[in-house]
Amino acid sequence: MSYTTELRNKNRGYMQLVVWQKAVELFELVWKIAFVDAKFDLRLRAQLTDAAQSVSANIAEGYGRRSVGEYIQFLYYALGSLAETMTRAIGLKRTNQISAARFHDFDLLHYEVENRLLRLIEKLEHKRDDEDWIARISEDPEEYIITPPLHRSITPSLQPDA
């Protein structure tokens, strides 16, 4: 399931990335594991969900940096957050705080996000090395429609004298 918004611009392109969408899906699953399915330590729940949410957040932040070097750097941060999320989930499984079936669901989605992220990094590193970074996002302003227009209303008492 993808997230869409009516408002578009070139900085919101990360929302179209399947890896970002899957990372958000992973966070949703982790949140359900931590706060619906299992009842383990509140601090551990927060650490697990923070690590999972950090994956999609780093993908988005790197995208927003608008430079290939920083983008790749933030994608590596996302990989680190994935590793942290996996490590915490393994600990919960080993201590029987989450079921083997739930861990299996988590592991499958985690593996998909991890592989998509590795492929994205590889492609971006090739673009960087080939100096082909400009081609990745359309710079045509007509492609991005800003709606609704942003207007400021002026209260009658603050209107300038005519």
Side-chain angles (χ1 to χ4, degrees), residues 77-88:
Y77 294 156
L79 272 178
S81 294
L82 270 173
E84 179 183 358
T85 305
M86 175 57 81
T87 299
R88 292 186 186 285

Side-chain angles (χ1 to χ4, degrees), residues 15-59:
M15 292 179 192
Q16 302 306 312
L17 295 171
V18 174
V19 68
W20 180 82
Q21 295 168 11
K22 291 292 185 175
V24 170
E25 191 178 318
L26 180 67
F27 166 70
E28 182 180 4
L29 176 61
V30 166
W31 191 89
K32 287 176 184 174
I33 290 169
F35 291 97
V36 177
D37 293 352
K39 301 296 181 213
F40 47 87
D41 177 67
L42 186 59
R43 187 170 147 239
L44 185 53
R45 289 185 212 183
Q47 290 171 332
L48 176 66
T49 55
D50 286 351
Q53 189 171 39
S54 184
V55 177
S56 59
N58 278 305
I59 294 168

Side-chain angles (χ1 to χ4, degrees), residues 152-162:
R152 250 175 36 189
S153 65
I154 300 175
T155 58
S157 63
L158 298 177
Q159 289 182 352
D161 293 332

Side-chain angles (χ1 to χ4, degrees), residues 10 29 35 46 59 62 78 92 97 104 108 113 124 134 142 158:
K10 61 185 168 186
L29 176 61
F35 291 97
I59 294 168
L92 292 171
Q97 295 183 68
H104 178 73
L108 288 175
V113 172
L124 290 173
I134 295 295
E142 293 296 316
L158 298 177

Side-chain angles (χ1 to χ4, degrees), residues 127-156:
K127 282 186 173 283
R128 179 199 57 204
D129 296 345
D130 294 343
E131 298 179 356
D132 188 29
W133 177 238
I134 295 295
R136 96 276 183 231
I137 295 177
S138 173
E139 298 296 336
D140 180 5
E142 293 296 316
E143 188 174 321
Y144 302 101
I145 300 168
I146 300 174
T147 55
L150 303 175
H151 294 286
R152 250 175 36 189
S153 65
I154 300 175
T155 58

Side-chain angles (χ1 to χ4, degrees), residues 68-81:
V68 70
E70 286 184 290
Y71 191 12
I72 292 168
Q73 178 182 356
F74 276 85
L75 294 177
Y76 277 114
Y77 294 156
L79 272 178
S81 294

